[in-house]
Amino acid sequence: THTHTHMQTPLVSVNGLQHGERATEPWLLGNKTLALVEKIITLRYTMQDYVLDQMTAVSQTGMPVNRPLWFDFPDDPEVWDITTSYMFGDAYLVAPVTDAGVTSQTVYLPAVVGGWTHMWTNKTFSGGGNVTVPAPLGDLPIFQRTV
């Protein structure tokens, strides 16, 4: 079965089998899986300029792109024990779903000026607390820092 983790960090290879056991090409995994992979690839391309900017910053400053919340919010005591969310650059908070069958996710959003906008619903949250958002298969909980 395909869990959220597989879909949000897909292994897409056009040159072989996954450890010799199963095909990894998305078009061989069925129409539902293909649609989810296409959605994630589309997201990747819409974020291409942001990713390039972040990689340029890494090469200039050494600051990691993926980092724990405490890296960006050291004064927020709530984030120090959170291991299930991370910052993707300084603009996106990502909260991967790791359990199969999950349809919603509770996420702690640090307080920021302007709040956070959920990528899939465009709903804005003020931050400084937990929010619960829909997290069906293919909708990785991602929040953009609103400026």
Side-chain angles (χ1 to χ4, degrees):
T1 62
H2 300 284
T3 65
H4 279 73
T5 304
H6 292 114
M7 291 312 304
Q8 270 108 37
T9 56
L11 172 62
V12 179
S13 171
V14 294
N15 63 353
L17 299 175
Q18 184 178 27
H19 306 293
E21 300 203 7
R22 69 177 184 92
T24 57
E25 297 91 338
W27 53 88
L28 297 177
L29 300 175
N31 290 337
K32 183 177 179 180
T33 300
L34 181 59
L36 293 171
V37 170
E38 287 174 342
K39 181 178 180 178
I40 297 300
I41 290 171
T42 299
L43 172 62
R44 177 181 175 202
Y45 282 107
T46 62
M47 297 182 75
Q48 191 168 359
D49 290 340
Y50 177 77
V51 171
L52 181 59
D53 290 345
Q54 295 307 304
M55 294 303 148
T56 300
V58 167
S59 70
Q60 294 171 347
T61 68
M63 183 178 293
V65 176
N66 292 338
R67 47 194 186 242
L69 297 182
W70 53 259
F71 194 94
D72 288 83
F73 306 99
D75 297 328
D76 185 340
E78 296 296 320
V79 304
W80 282 88
D81 292 324
I82 295 175
T83 59
T84 54
S85 298
Y86 63 91
M87 292 298 296
F88 178 58
D90 58 0
Y92 292 95
L93 187 150
V94 182
V97 175
T98 57
D99 296 319
V102 170
T103 59
S104 66
Q105 178 94 327
T106 299
V107 180
Y108 178 79
L109 299 176
V112 294
V113 175
W116 299 92
T117 301
H118 182 247
M119 179 168 284
W120 307 110
T121 64
N122 288 322
K123 184 174 180 183
T124 299
F125 301 93
S126 60
N130 290 318
V131 299
T132 300
V133 294
L137 186 61
D139 285 1
L140 173 64
I142 302 173
F143 299 86
Q144 184 174 13
R145 201 180 228 175
T146 308
V147 248

